[in-house]
Amino acid sequence: MWSGRGIRARGPEVLVAGGRGLVLAVGGFTGAVVLFVLSVVSILLVPVGVGIVTTPWVLTGVRAFADRRRISAAEWCGIRIPSTYRSLPAGLSPWTRCLRMLGDPATWRDLGWLVVDMTAGFVTALLPAALLFYPLEGFALAAGLWRVFTDGTHVGWWYGFVPVSGQGSALLAGVLGAALLVTSYFLSPALLRVHFLLVRSVLASGDGELAERVRVLTETRRAAVDTSAAELRRIERDLHDGAQARLVAMGMDLGTVDALIEKDPAKARRLLTQARRSSAEALTELRDLVRGIHPPVLAERGLCDAVRALALRLPLASEVDVDMDGRAEAPVESAAYFAVSEVLTNAVKHSGAGRLWVDLQHRDGMLRITVTDDGEGGARVGAGSGLTGVERRLGTFDGVLAVSSPAGGPTMVTMEIPCALS
């Protein structure tokens, strides 16, 4: 027996499930049909050359559409659907890019999913909405709407399997609507979950999961090695061109001071002042370098406070929401921090946004970070964008990156890293 409190708690969940199902049914069906038709036409045009240019753009749109569904599955039902697309280096020719995308098994899983999403996926998404909203028609018929369709002498309307021909049959329609509403109360959230389980069954790599896992690990290991080498080169360059040069100049100034301290005390004092300034600048550069390697606030106070400090230094209005009880391991915190830093830097430089929102939360062993801005949109992974580096950095920890950035905005970048909190 459900208590009044249980009913009140369950009611909003049922309403949300029905609304989300309606959004998925309408938006998913429309998007799947449009993207599938564009994909088929573009692939058929590859032999004549046109498709070489259009296919990568269309398939990128398909991947963004699939990633949006992955995000919905994780946020709405806690179902994680891994993104296993093969990475594409920047600077590829259109022909090579087209062939690599068509040679990626994940591309064909996406296209198969579009077919499923416009058929079985449409049904499984529509059921939670239908069970919630279709009873309203039955109640309206029972309340007198049946008179619009018949004068009571013939069947003027069918409500489900009930032929409505008068007030009596209209009341039966109302009873059927009540039964459907009760069914919705018990089944709508579960049916929405069934939809996402169907999505996962098609988009997941299936029998080739182990081979795909090995390939992903190989790529992420290579990316981690390349990233580490690039970071070491950056540190060496910054030390050589910055602090080291200033320390050498300071040593030369002090040597000159030693020679002039008795002959020209005034010039010696000026050189001492210059040496003091050089030492302060060298110290500042060393602190900045250390902050770029591992910010002290990150080590001392954790990811949440480090992201807050990062947001405070931005030239845009920002808001940080945190829902975490504990700290992740240091390597995970470092990867997440620099990923957020790169995303925020991109937003400041390229989005034209006036405000930023950062949300950090940990649920079911997953650290999820969402960065949203109210800018112009158009952000995407690939083509040498900073988000490609973020994706590689997260991939080292089995993390994923999803970007939703329609033209005109807003842009939402979601990062997920599996981890435990201490």
Side-chain angles (χ1 to χ4, degrees), residues 28-29 32 65 69 112-122 195 199:
F29 178 81
F65 187 64
R69 192 65 58 89
W113 167 68
L114 291 178
V115 176
V116 173
D117 201 48
M118 68 178 75
T119 52
F122 172 76
H195 170 81
V199 174

Side-chain angles (χ1 to χ4, degrees), residues 158-206:
W158 284 81
Y159 178 74
F161 56 82
V162 176
V164 179
S165 58
Q167 184 61 49
S169 54
L171 290 175
L172 288 177
V175 171
L176 177 60
L180 291 176
L181 192 61
V182 172
T183 304
S184 170
Y185 181 82
F186 290 101
L187 294 184
S188 282
L191 289 172
L192 185 65
R193 184 175 178 83
V194 167
H195 170 81
F196 287 118
L197 290 174
L198 175 65
V199 174
R200 185 175 66 179
S201 70
V202 181
L203 287 182
S205 54

Side-chain angles (χ1 to χ4, degrees), residues 277-344:
R277 187 184 309 115
S278 295
S279 68
E281 292 174 349
L283 181 60
T284 299
E285 290 180 354
L286 287 173
R287 285 174 175 168
D288 291 341
L289 182 62
V290 170
R291 187 179 296 111
I293 299 171
H294 194 76
V297 66
L298 180 61
E300 296 170 4
R301 304 182 61 180
L303 177 64
C304 300
D305 286 337
V307 171
R308 289 191 181 100
L310 190 64
L312 288 175
R313 295 198 298 269
L314 296 176
L316 303 179
S318 58
E319 181 178 335
V320 179
D321 292 323
V322 175
D323 185 9
M324 292 176 59
D325 298 322
R327 293 186 58 174
E329 295 180 350
V332 174
E333 284 193 334
S334 179
Y337 173 83
F338 286 107
V340 173
S341 177
E342 181 66 28
V343 172
L344 292 176

Side-chain angles (χ1 to χ4, degrees), residues 345-357:
T345 300
N346 283 351
V348 171
K349 288 183 177 179
H350 307 298
S351 70
R355 190 170 184 84
L356 293 164
W357 295 266

Side-chain angles (χ1 to χ4, degrees), residues 67-68 85 100 109 136 180 204 289 310 316 322 339-340 346 365 376 383 395 406 421:
D67 281 339
R68 179 64 257 179
Y85 301 114
R100 289 203 179 188
R109 286 197 295 271
L136 299 179
L180 291 176
L289 182 62
L310 190 64
L316 303 179
V322 175
V340 173
N346 283 351
E376 300 170 355
L421 299 184

Side-chain angles (χ1 to χ4, degrees), residues 39-231:
S39 299
V40 171
V41 172
S42 185
I43 292 173
L44 291 176
L45 291 176
V46 168
V48 299
V50 178
I52 296 173
V53 178
T54 60
T55 299
W57 289 95
V58 174
L59 293 181
T60 299
V62 172
R63 292 182 176 189
F65 187 64
D67 281 339
R68 179 64 257 179
R69 192 65 58 89
R70 289 184 175 96
I71 294 173
S72 298
E75 292 182 347
W76 294 352
C77 290
I79 296 175
R80 186 167 182 261
I81 307 173
S83 178
T84 56
Y85 301 114
R86 294 178 180 176
S87 60
L88 296 171
L92 293 178
S93 66
W95 172 254
T96 304
R97 187 176 183 83
C98 178
L99 287 182
R100 289 203 179 188
M101 295 187 80
L102 290 177
D104 188 347
T107 295
W108 300 102
R109 286 197 295 271
D110 284 351
L111 295 179
W113 167 68
L114 291 178
V115 176
V116 173
D117 201 48
M118 68 178 75
T119 52
F122 172 76
V123 174
T124 55
L126 187 62
L127 278 175
L131 287 175
L132 180 64
F133 299 113
Y134 190 49
L136 299 179
E137 181 183 338
F139 299 151
L141 290 170
L145 184 64
W146 64 272
R147 293 184 178 87
V148 176
F149 307 107
T150 179
D151 58 3
T153 61
H154 63 282
V155 175
W157 190 258
W158 284 81
Y159 178 74
F161 56 82
V162 176
V164 179
S165 58
Q167 184 61 49
S169 54
L171 290 175
L172 288 177
V175 171
L176 177 60
L180 291 176
L181 192 61
V182 172
T183 304
S184 170
Y185 181 82
F186 290 101
L187 294 184
S188 282
L191 289 172
L192 185 65
R193 184 175 178 83
V194 167
H195 170 81
F196 287 118
L197 290 174
L198 175 65
V199 174
R200 185 175 66 179
S201 70
V202 181
L203 287 182
S205 54
D207 294 337
E209 184 174 356
L210 181 58
E212 188 70 18
R213 176 66 174 161
V214 172
R215 182 194 62 78
V216 171
L217 287 175
T218 301
E219 288 190 356
T220 54
R221 183 184 64 180
R222 185 185 305 118
V225 171
D226 292 343
T227 301
S228 297
E231 188 70 9

